[in-house]
Amino acid sequence: MNGAESLVRSLLASGVDTCFANPGTSEMHFVAALDKVAGMRCVLGLAETVVTGCADGYARMTGRPAATLLHCGPGLANGTANVHNARRASTPMVNIVGDHATWHRPHDSPLTYDTEGLARTVSDWVRSSESSDRIGVDGAAAVQAAMTPPGRIATLILPADTAWSDGGRVADPLPVPQRSMVAPDTIRNVALALRRRERAVLVVSGQALGEEGLEAAQRVAHASGAMLKTSTQIPRMARGRGRVPVDRIPYAVDLAMRELGGVRHVVLVGARPPTGFFGYPEKPSLLAPSDAETHVLARPEEDAVAALHGLADELGAPARVGIPVGEVEPELHKGPFEPIAFATTLAALLPENCIVSEDAVTSGRALLAPTFNAAPHDWIQITGGAIGQGFPAATGAALACPDRKVVCLQADGAGMYTLQALWTQAREELDVVNVVFANRIYKILHGELLAVGARPGVASNELFDLARPELDWVHLANGMGVEAARVDRLEAFADAFRAACGRRGPFLIQFDI
Amino acid sequence: MNGAESLVRSLLASGVDTCFANPGTSEMHFVAALDKVAGMRCVLGLAETVVTGCADGYARMTGRPAATLLHCGPGLANGTANVHNARRASTPMVNIVGDHATWHRPHDSPLTYDTEGLARTVSDWVRSSESSDRIGVDGAAAVQAAMTPPGRIATLILPADTAWSDGGRVADPLPVPQRSMVAPDTIRNVALALRRRERAVLVVSGQALGEEGLEAAQRVAHASGAMLKTSTQIPRMARGRGRVPVDRIPYAVDLAMRELGGVRHVVLVGARPPTGFFGYPEKPSLLAPSDAETHVLARPEEDAVAALHGLADELGAPARVGIPVGEVEPELHKGPFEPIAFATTLAALLPENCIVSEDAVTSGRALLAPTFNAAPHDWIQITGGAIGQGFPAATGAALACPDRKVVCLQADGAGMYTLQALWTQAREELDVVNVVFANRIYKILHGELLAVGARPGVASNELFDLARPELDWVHLANGMGVEAARVDRLEAFADAFRAACGRRGPFLIQFDI
């Protein structure tokens, strides 16, 4: 058995059974091993950032890593942006990066690259396999690293000769560390702070955004009067009727500071301290008042759900508390696109138990609050600010959950980064309704330019405008085998969306806004 | 004057007047400065690998660097593959990568990345600006580094606060090092070896692939009987009637070894030793016979043209020698696609003084020899093996040379990496005829899999096949504002190609092969 075959068998033994790939010559023995060994589902992406974005969406929905298969340093580089997004979501991911044979590398042939140096910039764990008899255990170690809470990026570099040489050995799965429990003292100290009944906010992220974690957080809020918020970026959240409606801290620094104004206690539950996405002149990086105390209830790798229940018990909360409902009732609106009217309409249309993949940028700022009372659904979102995550993450989520409808809410500028994902949706006949917000501008940048006090001129118009020529998403989707329609009013959107949800397979709706 | 404005003015003073960009929030002050200062042409690419590929094509044709403007680490990562190709072509390039304000960085907000670590993996020169009064001179130093022979990748990281703070100072251009001259002893020693009249090959690349360099190389060949070859990857080469027809060392290791069989002397002229693109089991990395002597006539950063003339003089060659013609006469063929018939047909159609951008992968293996007798033209090619360079390099070349027709020969699988470049062609109304070879498979990989002795199976079919669903390039091009046609026979191709050459603006021909 060669090294490549031992790696495929070891990955399967460790529970990795899906491989998103865009291989090249140095990965041919791995591909040959995939042919030989049954059980690994192989999914092609036509650009590497599609491959890694799919793996992110897949793992967010399954809780298990997919493997990616990438070709040398430049292949990894092409996929890096969505690995970065995954890393910021604490997504488990195992990247297999083929590379030159060890003895070929010193000759510096054209595709030679500092693959390991590149991998280190985006991974929590990096290893280069050194011999065919080590690849199996290296693969098992990569899965172990990826599954280490809260979820990590593991990148295994696979020199071609270690893949093709004999002597491969299949490795047993390695034990996966469990989430560590929060110390009782920590819980008591947070309870002590909250009992003062000063203005407090619980910032909840990661594991605690599941249905049970949110209910536990609601118990704490009920007993303490603390606000509940989630971080501005959402890895995955249980939402809709019957789930606790928790809004995110706004992206805009001024709005965020206003919402957190007067807060004396910031309690972090698997979340980082509320921080502005960017630094701006004369504005602080940290969004909470400078005299607020920060309490870490649970670090991202700790059991936040148990800690929340422990805190709620400590505060004397009842075992079950009422789940609040959102303020906005779902309703079909008419007329041209308007953010809240759209979100309210969408809330009326979202299918039961669907998955929403959101990379809607400016068009998405108002989506959360009006959809609290939609049918129950999961929401996954761009987490690292590297735009172009919506289509691929939707694609991976659809592969992970073939029985659930996926709704992709995609900004047009960001969508052009990874439009190739539509082809994978068509090839795999995935049940995704893609909604592209066609505002024909990098609108966020237009706003940011005004915010720095500049007046838009010739250059910024050249660099922000997407209207000249117009992007025709119906043609683009059709070119990749995805049916599509174009709408410019909410009532037409509702018709198109309902029709798309009523059939199987991918569909794209261009909403001219 | 803030730092950003001083940078724009310093770049202009150093002769950089074109900026390919996909900016983000952290680059807003640079964009505002572009609005304020006249003279910098700004060109938007809808994905960063388009941006960097354009800058590569532009600089290959002008000999001067363009600036790129990229957004933080993930923006640079998205553009890295084509920076790698540029680096392997010794293309001068100045990357400006915006990043977080220095004081915001420690807060590790979502887009925080090890930008400098990433830049080091693909750049010859990296600097992070530390204060607004240093940015101007940092920009001038970046241009100097990029222009240092043979051409280098300079990456300047621009923290947002150094861009927006006052105190910017415009820097004068810094002196650009000239190519160093080859020592007379080196030339005499190579002459001594060639005078033995043993089988010898001159491997010519870089500067020596211009018209004069090739003529000088032909003088050496005439006087010594040495073969002329160029490296497998071609940064830029003068070709066509009246130019010395020099073929490249074949990509396939066995073919290359056969061509170099019996060679006793390998003379490197701005080229690296002939090396296989990949290492294979039981095959050597170096393609020349192991007992051949290697002589370095000129390193890539040296004046290869002068050295070739010096060597020719030393060998007693006449000042002018006859220019050989190619063996194949241009001729319009009929019938379905066949590599040599296509190339021969193309040779009959290539417009005078056009630029060919080639990223045709397997469909391009036979393109060179049959096009030696075409009208004079320049040929630029993918150099680093990171596919998806054809469309962007063609786009940049067209911007560099608005009076020349550009012909882009693009494989379909590779083309899907960077199809967004078509939009930039439409927006800038560039005179590019794009030919997409639609073989609907990663054919190179199919061949490589067979070469490793494996039989294609389910997984490799999933990972190589591009036919399910079919990519419709007419729809894709139309979706980005580019007119297109589809052909499946050489005579239809000739009609479509002639029509496309007879009009201005971009066009795409999908050749079903």
Side-chain angles (χ1 to χ4, degrees):
Chain A
M1 183 187 315
N2 68 17
E5 185 179 335
S6 74
L7 177 54
V8 173
R9 291 189 187 280
S10 300
L11 290 172
L12 283 167
S14 288
V16 175
D17 61 7
T18 301
C19 179
F20 296 96
N22 190 286
T25 298
S26 43
E27 292 75 57
M28 276 313 99
H29 290 84
F30 190 87
V31 172
L34 291 170
D35 276 341
K36 197 171 169 189
V37 180
M40 184 75 81
R41 181 169 191 182
C42 297
V43 179
L44 176 61
L46 296 188
E48 288 91 347
T49 188
V50 171
V51 169
T52 53
C54 282
D56 185 12
Y58 175 93
R60 289 198 203 187
M61 295 315 301
T62 60
R64 289 181 295 118
T68 69
L69 180 62
L70 304 168
H71 182 40
C72 298
L76 174 60
N78 280 333
T80 287
N82 270 332
V83 180
H84 168 77
N85 282 326
R87 191 183 197 190
R88 291 286 169 168
S90 296
T91 299
M93 187 183 291
V94 174
N95 301 304
I96 310 289
V97 184
D99 212 342
H100 284 306
T102 50
W103 43 261
H104 190 66
R105 211 182 146 69
H107 296 288
D108 196 33
S109 65
L111 200 46
T112 308
Y113 197 92
D114 178 8
T115 308
E116 193 168 319
L118 171 62
R120 291 202 183 283
T121 68
V122 76
S123 311
D124 302 293
W125 180 101
V126 176
R127 188 176 292 177
S128 280
S129 281
E130 288 178 0
S131 62
S132 55
D133 63 335
R134 294 289 304 167
I135 293 184
V137 74
D138 288 343
V143 178
Q144 181 186 48
M147 289 294 288
T148 299
R152 293 166 197 263
I153 307 298
T155 301
L156 178 62
I157 298 165
L158 188 61
D161 53 338
T162 64
W164 76 51
S165 296
D166 276 338
R169 291 191 296 188
V170 181
D172 290 329
L174 294 172
V176 172
Q178 297 301 301
R179 288 180 175 273
S180 48
M181 301 303 290
V182 171
D185 270 3
T186 301
I187 293 172
R188 272 194 295 273
N189 287 337
V190 175
L192 217 56
L194 291 182
R195 275 204 207 94
R196 288 189 230 152
R197 305 297 290 193
E198 295 169 329
R199 190 165 160 79
V201 60
L202 254 70
V203 186
V204 180
S205 190
Q207 179 212 20
L209 295 180
E211 194 162 5
E212 191 193 347
L214 291 170
E215 285 178 17
Q218 182 60 30
R219 289 183 65 212
V220 174
H222 175 90
S224 67
M227 283 192 287
L228 290 187
K229 287 282 172 191
T230 181
S231 303
T232 310
Q233 286 73 38
I234 299 172
R236 174 182 170 178
M237 189 173 187
R239 304 180 78 254
R241 284 192 303 274
R243 273 85 178 262
V244 180
V246 179
D247 210 344
R248 57 184 195 160
I249 296 168
Y251 175 90
V253 170
D254 295 335
L255 285 181
M257 290 178 68
R258 200 174 314 150
E259 287 206 2
L260 298 178
V263 159
R264 306 283 304 158
H265 301 279
V266 178
V267 179
L268 302 177
V269 189
R272 295 158 187 263
T275 306
F277 203 90
F278 293 105
Y280 298 89
E282 319 296 330
K283 291 186 186 177
S285 291
L286 294 176
L287 303 173
S290 56
D291 59 352
E293 276 182 61
T294 296
H295 312 268
V296 178
L297 176 68
R299 295 194 301 272
E301 67 275 18
E302 292 179 319
D303 191 330
V305 178
L308 282 166
H309 276 308
L311 178 59
D313 293 344
E314 184 76 24
L315 291 167
R320 298 196 79 80
V321 296
I323 305 296
V325 294
E327 290 174 12
V328 183
E329 270 312 294
E331 186 190 346
L332 295 174
H333 285 266
K334 293 184 177 180
F337 179 89
E338 187 282 321
I340 294 174
F342 173 81
T344 310
T345 301
L346 182 72
L349 297 167
L350 279 181
E352 186 90 16
N353 199 31
C354 72
I355 300 161
V356 176
S357 168
E358 190 240 307
D359 179 18
V361 196
T362 48
S363 304
R365 295 263 172 89
L367 282 168
L368 289 200
T371 51
F372 284 140
N373 295 341
H377 61 275
D378 284 302
W379 194 284
I380 60 179
Q381 200 204 24
I382 178 173
T383 40
I387 57 172
Q389 208 225 3
F391 287 143
T395 307
L399 277 153
C401 304
D403 299 328
R404 300 175 67 176
K405 184 68 81 176
V406 177
V407 175
C408 178
L409 304 175
Q410 179 67 65
D412 57 351
M416 280 303 290
Y417 272 53
T418 50
L419 73 163
Q420 301 95 335
L422 296 172
W423 183 84
T424 301
Q425 292 182 11
R427 183 190 189 84
E428 303 289 337
E429 299 173 7
L430 301 177
D431 218 9
V432 184
V433 182
N434 303 280
V435 181
V436 174
F437 301 100
N439 64 5
R440 302 177 201 77
I441 185 172
Y442 289 132
K443 193 172 176 186
I444 187 170
L445 299 185
H446 186 80
E448 295 280 2
L449 190 77
L450 296 175
V452 307
R455 256 216 329 250
V458 175
S460 54
N461 183 48
E462 283 295 325
L463 297 180
F464 302 165
D465 165 76
L466 302 176
R468 198 168 38 83
E470 209 171 74
L471 290 162
D472 184 326
W473 284 92
V474 174
H475 273 123
L476 293 172
N478 290 169
M480 290 180 277
V482 172
E483 288 185 61
R486 189 167 176 170
V487 301
D488 62 359
R489 295 179 60 83
L490 290 163
E491 55 270 39
F493 167 75
D495 289 344
F497 189 86
R498 257 192 299 243
C501 287
R503 62 202 280 287
R504 281 201 66 87
F507 196 84
L508 183 141
I509 301 169
Q510 171 177 348
F511 200 143
D512 292 318
I513 71 175
Chain B
M1 183 187 316
N2 67 18
E5 184 179 336
S6 74
L7 177 55
V8 173
R9 291 189 186 278
S10 299
L11 290 172
L12 282 167
S14 289
V16 174
D17 60 7
T18 301
C19 179
F20 297 96
N22 190 286
T25 298
S26 44
E27 292 75 58
M28 276 312 99
H29 290 85
F30 190 87
V31 172
L34 291 169
D35 276 341
K36 195 170 170 189
V37 180
M40 184 74 80
R41 181 169 191 182
C42 296
V43 180
L44 176 60
L46 296 189
E48 288 91 346
T49 188
V50 172
V51 169
T52 53
C54 282
D56 185 11
Y58 174 93
R60 289 198 203 186
M61 296 315 301
T62 60
R64 289 182 294 118
T68 69
L69 180 62
L70 304 168
H71 183 40
C72 299
L76 174 60
N78 280 333
T80 288
N82 271 332
V83 180
H84 169 77
N85 282 325
R87 190 182 198 190
R88 292 286 169 167
S90 297
T91 299
M93 188 183 291
V94 174
N95 301 305
I96 311 289
V97 184
D99 212 341
H100 283 307
T102 50
W103 44 260
H104 190 67
R105 212 181 146 69
H107 296 289
D108 196 34
S109 66
L111 200 45
T112 307
Y113 198 91
D114 178 9
T115 308
E116 192 167 321
L118 171 63
R120 290 202 184 285
T121 67
V122 77
S123 312
D124 303 294
W125 181 100
V126 177
R127 187 176 292 176
S128 279
S129 281
E130 287 177 2
S131 62
S132 56
D133 63 335
R134 294 288 304 166
I135 293 184
V137 74
D138 288 344
V143 178
Q144 180 186 48
M147 289 294 289
T148 298
R152 292 166 199 264
I153 307 297
T155 301
L156 178 62
I157 298 165
L158 188 61
D161 52 338
T162 65
W164 76 51
S165 296
D166 276 337
R169 291 191 296 187
V170 182
D172 290 330
L174 293 171
V176 172
Q178 298 301 300
R179 288 179 175 274
S180 49
M181 300 303 290
V182 171
D185 269 5
T186 302
I187 294 173
R188 273 194 294 274
N189 286 338
V190 176
L192 217 57
L194 291 182
R195 275 206 205 91
R196 289 189 230 155
R197 305 296 288 191
E198 294 169 329
R199 189 165 160 81
V201 60
L202 254 69
V203 185
V204 180
S205 191
Q207 180 211 21
L209 295 181
E211 194 162 6
E212 191 192 347
L214 291 171
E215 285 178 17
Q218 182 61 28
R219 289 181 66 211
V220 174
H222 174 90
S224 66
M227 284 192 286
L228 291 186
K229 286 283 173 193
T230 181
S231 303
T232 310
Q233 285 73 38
I234 299 173
R236 174 183 170 178
M237 190 176 187
R239 304 179 78 254
R241 283 191 304 274
R243 273 84 180 263
V244 180
V246 180
D247 210 344
R248 58 185 193 157
I249 296 168
Y251 175 91
V253 170
D254 295 335
L255 284 180
M257 291 179 69
R258 200 175 312 149
E259 286 206 2
L260 298 177
V263 160
R264 305 284 303 159
H265 301 279
V266 178
V267 179
L268 302 177
V269 189
R272 294 158 187 262
T275 305
F277 203 90
F278 292 105
Y280 297 89
E282 318 297 330
K283 291 186 185 176
S285 291
L286 294 175
L287 303 172
S290 56
D291 59 353
E293 278 181 60
T294 296
H295 312 268
V296 178
L297 176 67
R299 295 194 301 272
E301 68 275 19
E302 292 179 321
D303 191 331
V305 178
L308 282 166
H309 276 307
L311 178 59
D313 292 345
E314 184 76 24
L315 291 167
R320 299 196 80 79
V321 295
I323 305 295
V325 292
E327 290 174 13
V328 182
E329 270 312 293
E331 186 188 346
L332 295 174
H333 285 267
K334 292 185 178 179
F337 180 90
E338 186 283 321
I340 294 174
F342 172 81
T344 310
T345 301
L346 182 71
L349 296 167
L350 279 181
E352 187 90 16
N353 199 32
C354 72
I355 300 161
V356 176
S357 169
E358 189 240 307
D359 179 18
V361 195
T362 48
S363 303
R365 294 266 173 88
L367 282 167
L368 289 199
T371 51
F372 284 140
N373 296 340
H377 61 275
D378 284 302
W379 194 282
I380 61 179
Q381 201 203 22
I382 178 173
T383 40
I387 58 172
Q389 207 225 3
F391 287 143
T395 306
L399 277 153
C401 305
D403 299 328
R404 301 174 67 176
K405 185 69 81 174
V406 178
V407 175
C408 178
L409 303 175
Q410 180 66 65
D412 57 351
M416 280 304 290
Y417 273 51
T418 49
L419 73 163
Q420 301 94 334
L422 296 171
W423 183 84
T424 301
Q425 292 181 10
R427 182 191 190 83
E428 303 288 338
E429 299 172 6
L430 301 178
D431 218 10
V432 185
V433 182
N434 303 280
V435 181
V436 174
F437 301 100
N439 64 6
R440 301 179 202 78
I441 185 172
Y442 288 133
K443 192 171 177 186
I444 188 170
L445 299 185
H446 186 82
E448 297 279 0
L449 190 78
L450 296 174
V452 307
R455 255 217 328 252
V458 175
S460 54
N461 183 48
E462 283 296 327
L463 296 180
F464 303 166
D465 165 75
L466 302 177
R468 197 167 40 81
E470 211 171 72
L471 291 163
D472 183 327
W473 283 92
V474 174
H475 273 124
L476 293 174
N478 291 169
M480 290 180 276
V482 172
E483 290 185 60
R486 189 167 178 170
V487 302
D488 62 358
R489 294 179 61 84
L490 290 163
E491 55 271 38
F493 168 74
D495 289 344
F497 189 86
R498 258 193 297 243
C501 287
R503 63 202 280 287
R504 282 200 67 85
F507 196 84
L508 183 142
I509 301 170
Q510 171 178 349
F511 199 143
D512 292 318
I513 69 176

